[in-house]
Amino acid sequence: MPVTSDTQTADLNSHRPSSPLHDLMYGHVYASALRAVALHGIADQVADTPRPVADLAEQAGLDAGALRRVLRLLAARGLFLEDADGAFALTDAGQALRTDAADSQHAAVLLFTDEMFRSSAEGIESTLRTGEPSFDAVHGRPLFDHLAATPDKSRLFNAAMTSLTTGVNEQLTRACPFPEEGTVVDVGGGRGGLLREVLTAHPDLTGILFDQPQTVADHLLDTGELRGRWRTQGGDFFTTVPEGGDLYLLKNVLHDWPDEDCLRILHTIRRAVVPGTRLLVIDAVLPGNGTPHPALALDMVMLMTLKGRERTAAEFEDLLATAGFRLHRIVPTEALSSVLEAEAV
């Protein structure tokens, strides 16, 4: 049947916009499409110039028709742009999919679309009934035990955590009230990305990176600029942390744990310090009044994978007070997290 003139002039975008319900209903489809292009490095292929789908498919060994449909879906979400000739390019929002981008989120995409998290998300219904993380039921062990037993997943997890904090550590360093001199102890500091930023920005500070031995062994501190100003120490922050620091950091640690374990960590730090020692807790702080916050999605990840949670200012203040710290102020940042400044009493 020939196309009529009426059809030719019809507004093909006159349909109702997608509803929040349908966006959520298809959420797993978007995530799977995102994972597929990340696995095949499509963003790297279009980093500099738009490229026809046929070229992209040939280079990656993919079916051109299927690839176009996947990219078209992601273009509708603002990550790619299709031009009039059918070539695709990255948008500004999609640049972080590149593996070589300064703020690359490639590893984070692969982690949070990995079967570890997909299967845990599918198990949220059981979490609603039991209150227990669905990850444990699906994988037969807690998340961190699973990572310790699966080196490839552990490497992906560490790479994703590094990518998530790229750029963020610089923002946090600007926002945090650091002293001009003294020793900063980064408790549960991972590979030391934040501590590296802090020591670089404050040349008279020294630092101690404290985390599990296998984590600090892969640290990021060995640069010429920082030579002689840091050391690493492996251990368990539930039992001990380095003593004698002037300032202690807890970045994205407390949200991994339920209140009772948070208190164990905080009590361990309190035993290691003298009154007046400052503690900076860096975590998302929920509004507590029903206002939407981007960390609500992260809170759901905590629900399904760990027994941790995102907390309100009042909940943080209660935890700190119980462990012997007084909360002085909360400093918002450009990042997802805020900085809670407390002092040992």
Side-chain angles (χ1 to χ4, degrees):
M1 178 181 294
V3 177
T4 67
S5 59
D6 288 342
T7 303
Q8 290 174 336
T9 59
D11 182 0
L12 299 181
N13 289 314
S14 61
H15 54 74
R16 290 183 300 173
S18 177
S19 70
L21 176 63
H22 285 126
D23 282 346
L24 290 170
M25 184 174 73
Y26 289 114
H28 66 288
V29 177
Y30 294 116
S32 296
L34 181 63
R35 179 176 182 82
V37 299
L39 283 171
H40 290 287
I42 301 301
D44 288 347
Q45 294 189 45
V46 295
D48 300 318
T49 183
R51 294 186 60 190
V53 167
D55 291 353
L56 296 172
E58 182 178 4
Q59 182 170 339
L62 304 174
D63 179 83
L67 178 58
R68 179 178 183 273
R69 293 163 70 177
V70 170
L71 290 176
R72 184 173 60 185
L73 176 70
L74 295 176
R77 306 303 291 189
L79 298 181
F80 292 87
L81 182 66
E82 183 180 12
D83 65 20
D85 297 322
F88 283 86
L90 279 175
T91 64
D92 289 344
Q95 291 294 326
L97 277 173
R98 294 168 50 183
T99 58
D100 62 347
D103 60 344
S104 175
Q105 298 298 293
H106 184 266
V109 167
L110 293 182
L111 176 68
F112 287 105
T113 60
D114 186 84
E115 59 84 20
M116 288 191 299
F117 289 93
R118 294 202 311 270
S119 58
S120 298
E122 291 171 359
I124 285 178
E125 189 276 330
S126 68
T127 298
L128 286 176
R129 288 184 284 103
T130 66
E132 296 296 314
S134 51
F135 187 99
D136 297 24
V138 171
H139 297 280
R141 54 193 172 194
L143 171 62
F144 290 122
D145 290 350
H146 185 70
L147 293 176
T150 52
D152 58 330
K153 302 294 187 184
S154 180
R155 285 191 294 271
L156 175 59
F157 182 87
N158 289 334
M161 295 304 103
T162 298
S163 73
L164 285 169
T165 57
T166 299
V168 172
N169 286 331
E170 182 180 351
Q171 297 170 7
L172 293 173
T173 300
R174 291 197 304 265
C176 289
F178 289 103
E180 290 302 315
E181 58 185 16
T183 299
V184 176
V185 182
D186 194 355
V187 177
R191 299 173 65 202
L194 175 58
L195 186 58
R196 182 177 63 184
E197 288 287 344
V198 171
L199 297 182
T200 300
H202 300 275
D204 291 325
L205 286 176
T206 59
I208 302 173
L209 177 64
F210 181 82
D211 209 310
Q212 299 179 58
Q214 66 271 24
T215 300
V216 299
D218 191 30
H219 66 80
L220 303 171
L221 299 173
D222 196 9
T223 68
E225 185 178 3
L226 303 183
R227 185 172 292 115
R229 296 173 50 208
W230 57 270
R231 66 180 176 88
T232 64
Q233 181 175 329
D236 179 0
F237 53 38
F238 287 116
T239 59
T240 186
V241 299
E243 298 181 354
D246 299 289
L247 177 69
Y248 286 70
L249 299 177
L250 272 177
K251 175 176 173 283
N252 298 147
V253 171
L254 297 185
H255 79 150
D256 284 343
W257 305 97
D259 287 356
E260 56 270 27
D261 287 330
C262 287
L263 289 174
R264 290 172 60 199
I265 297 168
L266 291 169
H267 278 302
T268 301
I269 296 174
R270 182 62 188 85
R271 289 194 298 269
V273 303
V274 298
T277 303
R278 291 165 58 216
L279 168 68
L280 301 183
V281 175
I282 302 170
D283 256 320
V285 179
L286 299 180
N289 58 4
T291 302
H293 190 282
L296 291 174
L298 185 58
D299 184 57
M300 189 57 55
V301 173
M302 296 298 107
L303 178 67
M304 70 191 197
T305 58
L306 297 165
K307 294 185 178 181
R309 55 183 299 186
E310 306 307 317
R311 294 178 171 86
T312 65
E315 290 168 333
F316 275 116
E317 186 170 17
D318 287 345
L319 282 176
L320 289 165
T322 301
F325 292 91
R326 180 185 298 114
L327 178 62
H328 285 312
R329 60 173 175 158
I330 300 177
V331 181
T333 75
E334 299 174 9
L336 182 69
S337 298
S338 295
V339 180
L340 299 99
E341 184 181 3
E343 179 182 311
V345 294

